[in-house]
Amino acid sequence: MRTGNRLVLALGKGIGFTSRFLKAGGGSTLPGRTARRMSPSFVPNMVKELPLGSVLVTGTNGKTTTATLLASILDRAGMTPVHNRTGANLLAGIASALIRESDLGGHLAGRMGLFEVDEAAFPAAVEETSPRLVVVNNLFRDQLDRYGELDTLASRMKEAVRTLDPQSVVVLNADDPLVASIGRDLPHEVIYYGIDTDRYGSESMQHAADSKHCAECGSRLTYEYYLFGHMGRYSCPSCGTSRPGSQVSAVELEMVELEGTRCTVKYPGGEVTLFIPLPGLYNVYNVLAAMSCALALGVDIETVKEGIEGFKAAFGRVERVEADGRNILMILAKNPAGFNEVIRTLTGGTGRKNVVLALNDNIADGRDVSWIWDVDFEMLRDRLGRVVCSGIRAADMALRVKYAELGEDSLTVEPNLEKALQEGLAMVEQGETLFVVPTYTAMLTLRGSMVKKGLVAPYWEG
Amino acid sequence: MRIKIGYLYPDLMNIYGDHGNILTLVRRCEWRGIPVEVVALNIGDPIAHGEYDMFFMGGGQDREQVMVCRDLQETKGDDIKREIDEGAAALAICGGYQLFGKFYRPFEGDELPGINVFDAHTVAGKKRCIGNVVAKSALGGKQGTVVGFENHSGKTYLGDGCAPLGTVTVGYGNNAEDKTEGAIYRGAIGTYLHGSLLPKNPSIADFLIEKALGRRGSDLPLASLDDSLELAAHAAALKRAVRTH
């Protein structure tokens, strides 16, 4: 440990403490930002102190859930991860986690780094953390205003993966053609995971689907079926590239509405049946990603199963809250593909659902709100009761609802998030559920007002 | 009276919620009782003379744009230009707007030829122009403004054969130099603005619908609609644009 790093650590810890003390937030990025500015080699130096090395989790949707699932497993396996929680998934977030989990001498409380990173930050994170394992869950259009085009992003990620140590393992989603292409001709050990049953497949693709063309030759892919966005059973009629075989595969699935999914997973050496306590097909992918990583890291299957079944959702991603005898189910939706999965969840079951849709356009949400027009709101026709549109761009969301013809009469526009939540709760009866679907910073604000009411714990205690 | 919209390359050119523009055109016709039909025009599909009253094309990624450019040169470009000269309406966004011009010149490699609807050409730029945009425009309706979100690195320069859609007051516009945004030629509009554009700028949607009806020989004014939500979204976007720049 260099003396320079000690000074950086002390300062970083001071900032984190002050930020929490002033209730300005969890201090999840500012300490790290400062540390990296003072010492550019702060992260590379600190990760050397981790005896079990580091794991990087990336992908457009499900990073936080996947990493938290994996943390739940690794904790049980005694591998004690240092994890950049609370969705601060840029390099500053990694640095902040390292500061939080170390003492002033630079000794880390954890043994393994578990870092979730934005797709755009992935190459830099590979360079700074020298991971022993990376997992890429999916690639969708998300905040293109920040990341540039999807094809460019994928090729930058592929280049970064090529620079990994030859002993490193690469875990990829076989069902996502762009992600799977990262593993082609790679000298490293590649583990593919995917869904190997067409039970929840559909013949048509949602608007939000992004990767429709073969990453090798550019021809249009043909699909036997689609599962979630552009994920599914694909092949290229022109060059013959097709979905690679998966080593970790969900072979049976049964969705239990709004509760979770029962599934049977085949893996090298066996088969396991488990219950995923999170709704939606996208969470099946998150679980498969976490399982593949844990198995590759040598965790036994019993511990993997316990880690998944005993999982508590990452804050805000899916959160169940009780408020005066009413239930709030808050599900984060930050891009078309994720939002479409939330919609698929909302169309299940009987009865009309009352919802709060909260759209912000801060930098962390993406300034451009065009993406809401790629969400299939039309699927909610005749499924909704009252709708409250909220957030900075509440009026844009209301327009989307109007043009989907979901019933203009049952629509309220209330930009103030706290008031919108109040109004939403007033619409549901005792014992009923209010569905709240926010973008990222809207979720932080909504969560803040729930904390104020004493309904949930502040996230930095979670 | 029925209007028919040719949706150019819906699978390839739909990168930023451009579907919302088609949805807006369709709903605003339906709400007025005007029958409307949208036909997807994919690679290889021909355009019959007099068949379409309006064309729409969105933006795409580089690879898609090259495929589309080739198809426009081979099967559709001349026909689209002819239909517009004969009164058809059109809306081309971002990458679509560039291909409706004379050419696109990349940093390296060959120029991509356009279809010459707009007297405009585009050259690759180093800086990416990203952010909210407000432009003053005669097509802005009662508000006098057009609002949207731009995300492009190409710089487009207009010639004398077309007029700008508006003058930028917030944001970059066509080329970040001359304060122009978009282009108008007869019933055709080209622009860099997403948002989607039409939901929040209903006067532009109605301009296009009127032009399309005009092609079918109707010059009746459009029935007015309750646009209070549209105008609220327009106002919110305007306020946000000023604050985020």
Side-chain angles (χ1 to χ4, degrees):
Chain A
M1 187 83 217
R2 297 179 197 172
T3 340
N5 256 19
R6 284 193 190 170
L7 184 66
V8 175
L9 263 174
L11 187 74
K13 280 191 161 301
I15 293 170
F17 177 77
T18 313
S19 166
R20 281 189 293 274
F21 181 73
L22 296 174
K23 303 227 186 286
S28 50
T29 58
L30 188 60
R33 217 183 307 148
T34 314
R36 276 170 40 82
R37 198 167 299 154
M38 287 177 67
S39 164
S41 57
F42 176 74
V43 172
N45 286 339
M46 287 295 285
V47 292
K48 284 190 197 123
E49 310 286 322
L50 293 161
L52 298 179
S54 297
V55 171
L56 283 188
V57 178
T58 194
T60 315
N61 285 304
K63 282 182 284 285
T64 300
T65 303
T66 303
T68 315
L69 275 161
L70 186 53
S72 162
I73 298 168
L74 296 177
D75 263 332
R76 281 176 171 79
M79 297 166 103
T80 332
V82 173
H83 174 197
N84 57 329
R85 281 162 208 268
T86 68
N89 42 30
L90 297 168
L91 280 161
I94 295 180
S96 293
L98 289 166
I99 291 167
R100 197 185 55 233
E101 298 290 328
S102 70
D103 63 20
L104 284 172
H107 304 294
L108 285 158
R111 305 173 65 209
M112 180 183 276
L114 172 54
F115 305 125
E116 47 177 286
V117 283
D118 277 1
E119 310 90 282
F122 178 74
V126 164
E127 201 185 318
E128 295 207 8
T129 65
S130 314
R132 65 184 280 197
L133 185 147
V134 299
V135 54
V136 186
N137 199 2
N138 51 60
L139 285 173
F140 283 94
R141 282 186 308 212
D142 180 33
Q143 308 181 10
L144 274 167
D145 53 313
R146 216 168 60 184
Y147 296 164
E149 296 177 347
L150 204 58
D151 290 339
T152 320
L153 185 65
S155 53
R156 279 213 308 269
M157 291 176 73
K158 186 162 185 164
E159 276 166 37
V161 166
R162 289 197 170 278
T163 67
L164 287 171
D165 182 276
Q167 299 301 310
S168 298
V169 180
V170 180
V171 179
L172 299 170
N173 187 340
D175 292 342
D176 183 321
L178 206 53
V179 170
S181 76
I182 293 173
R184 222 152 277 141
D185 309 320
L186 207 63
H188 301 80
E189 182 189 347
V190 178
I191 298 172
Y192 283 108
Y193 61 89
I195 292 177
D196 234 343
T197 160
D198 63 358
R199 167 136 191 217
Y200 293 99
S202 64
E203 281 176 18
S204 62
M205 183 160 17
Q206 299 155 322
H207 287 313
D210 296 276
S211 181
K212 304 162 207 163
H213 297 272
C214 177
E216 307 301 314
C217 74
S219 306
R220 199 187 164 105
L221 294 168
T222 54
Y223 278 77
E224 231 172 276
Y225 54 84
Y226 298 97
L227 287 159
F228 165 41
H230 59 259
M231 284 182 243
R233 182 63 55 128
Y234 56 88
S235 60
C236 174
S238 170
C239 74
T241 300
S242 62
R243 175 195 183 274
S246 48
Q247 290 93 320
V248 178
S249 320
V251 290
E252 275 172 49
L253 291 177
E254 193 198 340
M255 294 210 224
V256 186
E257 181 210 327
L258 296 179
E259 292 297 323
T261 308
R262 216 180 310 282
C263 72
T264 303
V265 180
K266 270 196 177 141
Y267 60 95
E271 194 176 284
V272 64
T273 297
L274 46 83
F275 183 74
I276 301 168
L278 295 165
L281 218 45
Y282 57 121
N283 278 314
V284 175
Y285 281 111
N286 296 337
V287 162
L288 290 171
M291 273 184 91
S292 305
C293 295
L295 292 169
L297 294 167
V299 181
D300 66 276
I301 194 69
E302 275 313 306
T303 310
V304 171
K305 183 176 151 100
E306 278 171 27
I308 290 164
E309 293 186 336
F311 174 75
K312 230 176 89 210
F315 93 101
R317 261 67 196 176
V318 176
E319 196 152 30
R320 290 168 219 275
V321 181
E322 213 191 293
D324 313 323
R326 295 162 173 84
N327 302 309
I328 300 171
L329 184 65
M330 182 154 78
I331 315 178
L332 174 74
K334 53 190 183 120
N335 51 34
F339 215 125
N340 278 337
E341 266 307 295
V342 174
I343 285 175
R344 175 139 50 161
T345 307
L346 287 177
T347 54
T350 51
R352 286 177 176 263
K353 303 195 165 70
N354 296 304
V355 297
V356 175
L357 306 171
L359 177 66
N360 272 2
D361 68 349
N362 291 314
I363 288 171
D365 306 291
R367 286 269 187 237
D368 185 3
V369 296
S370 312
W371 62 273
I372 60 172
W373 294 91
D374 285 327
V375 177
D376 296 325
F377 282 98
E378 285 74 9
M379 282 168 64
L380 289 172
R381 222 172 269 169
D382 304 323
R383 300 280 188 167
L384 296 184
R386 296 207 56 88
V387 181
V388 182
C389 293
S390 187
I392 299 168
R393 300 302 285 264
D396 280 81
M397 188 54 99
L399 262 195
R400 180 68 190 95
V401 170
K402 174 179 176 178
Y403 280 81
E405 301 194 308
L406 302 183
E408 216 180 319
D409 305 337
S410 50
L411 181 66
T412 314
V413 185
E414 174 49 72
N416 181 296
L417 290 161
E418 195 167 344
K419 285 186 192 158
L421 187 64
Q422 277 306 345
E423 238 175 87
L425 280 170
M427 304 179 316
V428 298
E429 306 284 328
Q430 291 274 327
E432 281 186 355
T433 301
L434 172 70
F435 295 86
V436 179
V437 190
T439 57
Y440 184 71
T441 67
M443 177 200 74
L444 295 183
T445 306
L446 284 165
R447 218 178 173 283
S449 71
M450 290 183 204
V451 170
K452 226 164 66 184
K453 289 200 188 86
L455 301 175
V456 290
Y459 68 79
W460 55 91
E461 289 169 10
Chain B
M1 191 158 319
R2 180 184 197 80
I3 64 173
K4 198 164 173 179
I5 303 174
Y7 187 172
L8 291 159
Y9 316 103
D11 291 342
L12 298 169
M13 305 292 279
N14 66 350
I15 198 165
Y16 299 102
D18 291 327
H19 169 75
N21 291 317
I22 285 286
L23 190 63
T24 304
L25 291 166
V26 169
R27 293 279 180 268
R28 296 182 74 82
C29 285
E30 286 173 354
W31 292 337
R32 294 175 167 116
I34 302 165
V36 57
E37 184 188 356
V38 179
V39 178
L41 295 169
N42 292 309
I43 286 190
D45 294 342
I47 290 171
H49 193 184
E51 181 151 6
Y52 298 98
D53 309 300
M54 195 192 304
F55 295 97
F56 173 74
M57 185 161 154
Q61 300 198 43
D62 292 348
R63 184 167 64 198
E64 277 85 354
Q65 214 148 307
V66 172
M67 293 162 73
V68 163
C69 172
R70 199 180 311 145
D71 187 66
L72 283 171
Q73 293 305 314
E74 284 166 10
T75 64
K76 297 185 186 64
D78 293 344
D79 298 321
I80 294 170
K81 164 83 173 142
R82 181 196 61 227
E83 300 298 309
I84 288 169
D85 278 333
E86 291 178 6
L91 176 63
I93 311 275
C94 202
Y97 169 37
Q98 294 172 348
L99 289 173
F100 266 49
K102 293 199 295 202
F103 61 84
Y104 174 85
R105 185 184 301 141
F107 278 123
E108 288 166 20
D110 298 335
E111 272 181 11
L112 293 183
I115 64 171
N116 295 306
V117 170
F118 300 118
D119 177 13
H121 69 274
T122 305
V123 295
K126 286 201 175 65
K127 179 183 159 76
R128 207 159 175 88
C129 299
I130 303 181
N132 288 302
V133 179
V134 179
K136 283 204 169 112
S137 169
L139 284 191
K142 272 177 262 170
Q143 311 76 248
T145 49
V146 175
V147 291
F149 193 94
E150 65 185 328
N151 186 347
H152 57 104
S153 52
K155 297 161 82 159
T156 300
Y157 297 90
L158 306 184
D160 295 333
C162 64
L165 170 64
T167 308
V168 172
T169 56
V170 180
Y172 301 97
N174 279 335
N175 48 43
E177 290 161 25
D178 63 14
K179 296 278 171 198
T180 63
E181 161 50 36
I184 305 184
Y185 168 75
R186 303 185 64 126
I189 296 173
T191 177
Y192 276 115
L193 303 187
H194 304 280
S196 304
L197 176 75
L198 297 183
K200 283 195 283 281
N201 298 285
S203 58
I204 297 185
D206 289 351
F207 167 86
L208 292 166
I209 295 170
E210 267 174 0
K211 288 282 171 195
L213 285 169
R215 173 136 158 105
R216 293 277 153 194
S218 160
D219 56 357
L220 296 173
L222 289 178
S224 68
L225 297 171
D226 174 4
D227 281 337
S228 44
L229 271 182
E230 285 79 353
L231 299 182
H234 185 103
L238 201 124
K239 201 166 125 197
R240 198 61 184 150
V242 173
R243 198 165 290 177
T244 54
H245 266 275

